[in-house]
């Protein structure tokens, strides 16, 4: 279900949210650990994908 709070984030926005560098964010995208789409050649990451990545990391740490 899509909500008004669902949004597409840019790579710099994801970098800030995850406190990671650009190379690491693109590595997560390349290895499909972080879902993304291309919109007219621009990479966008759904905020739900960022939350799913964090949940997955927390599950691995437990």
């Amino acid at each position: 279900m899509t909500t008004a709070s669902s949004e597409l984030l840019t790579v710099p926005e994801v970098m800030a949210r995850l406190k990671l560098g650009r190379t690491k964010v693109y590595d997560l995208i390349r290895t499909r650990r972080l879902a993304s789409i291309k919109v007219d050649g621009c990479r966008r990451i759904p905020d739900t994908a960022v939350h799913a990545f964090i949940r997955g990391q927390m599950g691995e740490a437990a």
Side-chain angles (χ1 to χ4, degrees):
M1 179 173 134
T2 303
T3 64
S5 65
S6 292
E7 61 180 315
L8 294 175
L9 305 170
T10 64
V11 169
E13 290 170 332
V14 173
M15 290 167 51
R17 288 189 183 196
L18 296 178
K19 310 282 193 282
L20 296 173
R22 174 183 165 94
T23 301
K24 184 60 179 179
V25 171
Y26 276 108
D27 184 53
L28 292 172
I29 291 169
R30 183 182 55 78
T31 58
R32 298 179 188 242
R33 293 175 62 202
L34 183 62
S36 70
I37 62 171
K38 272 194 161 186
V39 178
D40 292 332
C42 298
R43 184 66 59 185
R44 295 292 181 258
I45 301 97
D47 63 346
T48 54
V50 175
H51 293 292
F53 172 76
I54 293 168
R55 279 192 309 274
Q57 291 300 111
M58 291 177 68
E60 288 178 15

